Amino acid sequence: MRVRATTLTAAILLTALTACGSSNDDADSATRKPAASDTPASPTKPAQPEKGLAFGKAAQTTAADGTGVLEITPDTVVFTKTASGETAANGVFVVVTMKDKAMTAVAADEPAPISGGGWKWMAPDGEMVAYDTGNSSNVTIDKYNNADPVQPGSYQWRMQAFDLTPAQAKGGTLIYIDGAEKAVRWQMPSTDTGPNVAEVKKQLQ
């Protein structure tokens, strides 16, 4: 009888302890703050395309080889099917003139295209077009064909031509990769724009 009583008492105590532990676990679960992993992750927003500068807005850029600062200002853009005795292979030449000004006490220049820098055109659908596509390399304008380093305190007129399809040319983005491999963008108009349109057209004949 004594053995049975002892066994019964142990069983009662074990049951009580188990119930107590379960009650405490439930209380802790109710008051515990959800861990970071318990909270559903909020959906990430898709990256938005970088908005370019307005056409005609100056940009401070690092010159070739990281030497000096070149301020570049797109000045005039002309859309034409023919230029310098050439016909656009893809439909339209987009000719952009720009003012390059040295801003420091050393000569500054645009990086050479072979280095991966210089000028590119991005079509509205995102397609990148190189400066030498089609017949663009044959387009020249005497006043704007400067290519020497810009000396301190001075500026040069330069130009870049692209041979594009009409769809590529309409609403495109002009991109310049500077000496620090930083991209500067300008949103381009779809029609002739700038203070020197008449002069540029005359020189393109």
Side-chain angles (χ1 to χ4, degrees), residues 1-10:
M1 293 293 292
R2 185 174 297 176
V3 174
R4 286 187 178 180
T6 301
T7 303
L8 181 59
T9 301

PDB file of all heavy atoms in Angstrom, residues 1-10:
ATOM      1  N   MET A   1       0.831  -1.208   0.000  1.00  0.00           N
ATOM      2  CA  MET A   1       0.000   0.000   0.000  1.00  0.00           C
ATOM      3  C   MET A   1       0.863   1.255   0.000  1.00  0.00           C
ATOM      4  O   MET A   1       0.575   2.228  -0.668  1.00  0.00           O
ATOM      5  CB  MET A   1      -0.932   0.022   1.217  1.00  0.00           C
ATOM      6  CG  MET A   1      -1.997  -1.059   1.201  1.00  0.00           C
ATOM      7  SD  MET A   1      -3.176  -0.789  -0.137  1.00  0.00           S
ATOM      8  CE  MET A   1      -3.962   0.679   0.461  1.00  0.00           C
ATOM      9  N   ARG A   2       1.964   1.209   0.807  1.00  0.00           N
ATOM     10  CA  ARG A   2       2.836   2.383   0.881  1.00  0.00           C
ATOM     11  C   ARG A   2       3.473   2.650  -0.481  1.00  0.00           C
ATOM     12  O   ARG A   2       3.629   3.802  -0.885  1.00  0.00           O
ATOM     13  CB  ARG A   2       3.891   2.132   1.953  1.00  0.00           C
ATOM     14  CG  ARG A   2       4.782   3.357   2.186  1.00  0.00           C
ATOM     15  CD  ARG A   2       5.726   3.139   3.345  1.00  0.00           C
ATOM     16  NE  ARG A   2       4.954   2.953   4.553  1.00  0.00           N
ATOM     17  CZ  ARG A   2       5.512   2.660   5.726  1.00  0.00           C
ATOM     18  NH1 ARG A   2       6.825   2.459   5.814  1.00  0.00           N
ATOM     19  NH2 ARG A   2       4.789   2.526   6.812  1.00  0.00           N
ATOM     20  N   VAL A   3       3.845   1.574  -1.204  1.00  0.00           N
ATOM     21  CA  VAL A   3       4.472   1.755  -2.514  1.00  0.00           C
ATOM     22  C   VAL A   3       3.498   2.396  -3.474  1.00  0.00           C
ATOM     23  O   VAL A   3       3.828   3.317  -4.232  1.00  0.00           O
ATOM     24  CB  VAL A   3       4.938   0.390  -3.045  1.00  0.00           C
ATOM     25  CG1 VAL A   3       5.452   0.541  -4.480  1.00  0.00           C
ATOM     26  CG2 VAL A   3       6.016  -0.174  -2.154  1.00  0.00           C
ATOM     27  N   ARG A   4       2.224   1.912  -3.459  1.00  0.00           N
ATOM     28  CA  ARG A   4       1.218   2.507  -4.349  1.00  0.00           C
ATOM     29  C   ARG A   4       1.001   3.983  -4.043  1.00  0.00           C
ATOM     30  O   ARG A   4       0.837   4.804  -4.931  1.00  0.00           O
ATOM     31  CB  ARG A   4      -0.105   1.750  -4.188  1.00  0.00           C
ATOM     32  CG  ARG A   4      -0.095   0.381  -4.838  1.00  0.00           C
ATOM     33  CD  ARG A   4      -1.483  -0.204  -4.768  1.00  0.00           C
ATOM     34  NE  ARG A   4      -1.509  -1.505  -5.424  1.00  0.00           N
ATOM     35  CZ  ARG A   4      -2.591  -2.251  -5.509  1.00  0.00           C
ATOM     36  NH1 ARG A   4      -3.731  -1.805  -4.970  1.00  0.00           N
ATOM     37  NH2 ARG A   4      -2.565  -3.435  -6.100  1.00  0.00           N
ATOM     38  N   ALA A   5       0.949   4.324  -2.768  1.00  0.00           N
ATOM     39  CA  ALA A   5       0.722   5.732  -2.384  1.00  0.00           C
ATOM     40  C   ALA A   5       1.852   6.605  -2.883  1.00  0.00           C
ATOM     41  O   ALA A   5       1.646   7.730  -3.366  1.00  0.00           O
ATOM     42  CB  ALA A   5       0.572   5.829  -0.862  1.00  0.00           C
ATOM     43  N   THR A   6       3.085   6.113  -2.721  1.00  0.00           N
ATOM     44  CA  THR A   6       4.247   6.900  -3.169  1.00  0.00           C
ATOM     45  C   THR A   6       4.199   7.104  -4.682  1.00  0.00           C
ATOM     46  O   THR A   6       4.447   8.198  -5.192  1.00  0.00           O
ATOM     47  CB  THR A   6       5.543   6.172  -2.784  1.00  0.00           C
ATOM     48  OG1 THR A   6       5.564   5.994  -1.370  1.00  0.00           O
ATOM     49  CG2 THR A   6       6.750   6.978  -3.215  1.00  0.00           C
ATOM     50  N   THR A   7       3.884   6.033  -5.408  1.00  0.00           N
ATOM     51  CA  THR A   7       3.806   6.128  -6.877  1.00  0.00           C
ATOM     52  C   THR A   7       2.724   7.088  -7.309  1.00  0.00           C
ATOM     53  O   THR A   7       2.882   7.899  -8.214  1.00  0.00           O
ATOM     54  CB  THR A   7       3.515   4.740  -7.466  1.00  0.00           C
ATOM     55  OG1 THR A   7       4.535   3.831  -7.037  1.00  0.00           O
ATOM     56  CG2 THR A   7       3.501   4.794  -8.989  1.00  0.00           C
ATOM     57  N   LEU A   8       1.577   7.035  -6.650  1.00  0.00           N
ATOM     58  CA  LEU A   8       0.459   7.936  -6.985  1.00  0.00           C
ATOM     59  C   LEU A   8       0.818   9.379  -6.734  1.00  0.00           C
ATOM     60  O   LEU A   8       0.518  10.257  -7.523  1.00  0.00           O
ATOM     61  CB  LEU A   8      -0.777   7.528  -6.150  1.00  0.00           C
ATOM     62  CG  LEU A   8      -2.053   8.350  -6.401  1.00  0.00           C
ATOM     63  CD1 LEU A   8      -2.468   8.262  -7.868  1.00  0.00           C
ATOM     64  CD2 LEU A   8      -3.170   7.879  -5.494  1.00  0.00           C
ATOM     65  N   THR A   9       1.505   9.619  -5.604  1.00  0.00           N
ATOM     66  CA  THR A   9       1.911  11.001  -5.271  1.00  0.00           C
ATOM     67  C   THR A   9       2.873  11.538  -6.325  1.00  0.00           C
ATOM     68  O   THR A   9       2.762  12.692  -6.762  1.00  0.00           O
ATOM     69  CB  THR A   9       2.588  11.033  -3.885  1.00  0.00           C
ATOM     70  OG1 THR A   9       1.661  10.540  -2.925  1.00  0.00           O
ATOM     71  CG2 THR A   9       3.001  12.438  -3.535  1.00  0.00           C
ATOM     72  N   ALA A  10       3.841  10.732  -6.771  1.00  0.00           N
ATOM     73  CA  ALA A  10       4.811  11.164  -7.785  1.00  0.00           C
ATOM     74  C   ALA A  10       4.105  11.494  -9.093  1.00  0.00           C
ATOM     75  O   ALA A  10       4.429  12.469  -9.772  1.00  0.00           O
ATOM     76  CB  ALA A  10       5.858  10.062  -8.000  1.00  0.00           C
TER      77      ALA A  10
END
